[in-house]
Amino acid sequence: MGASSRAAVHLLQAAKVRALMSGREFVIPDDVKRVCRPVLRHRVTLQPDAYIEGFTPDDILTTALEKVEVPR
């Protein structure tokens, strides 16, 4: 199951902080990718069979990040 809309707000806030810490006043896709796992890993619930097969929330998030194209 996916994360809530509130999780998306937290992801945006964390990406903004990451951008500021990098000396920028704007967010780039790499900021979002960098904070995605720490922000969302506890908000993603896996089906029981996924746990049995050895998947973790980080595995699912990594797969999702690899499949989503960066907007231009």
Side-chain angles (χ1 to χ4, degrees), residues 20-60:
L20 285 172
M21 291 176 62
S22 298
R24 285 179 276 102
E25 295 183 7
F26 54 91
V27 174
I28 60 174
D30 286 339
D31 295 325
V32 177
K33 288 182 177 184
R34 178 79 168 118
V35 299
C36 180
R37 287 174 207 80
V39 171
L40 298 179
R41 76 171 43 111
H42 70 284
R43 297 173 186 269
V44 174
T45 305
L46 300 182
Q47 296 290 333
D49 57 328
Y51 280 112
I52 291 170
E53 293 178 25
F55 289 104
T56 66
D58 279 6
D59 296 329
I60 303 306

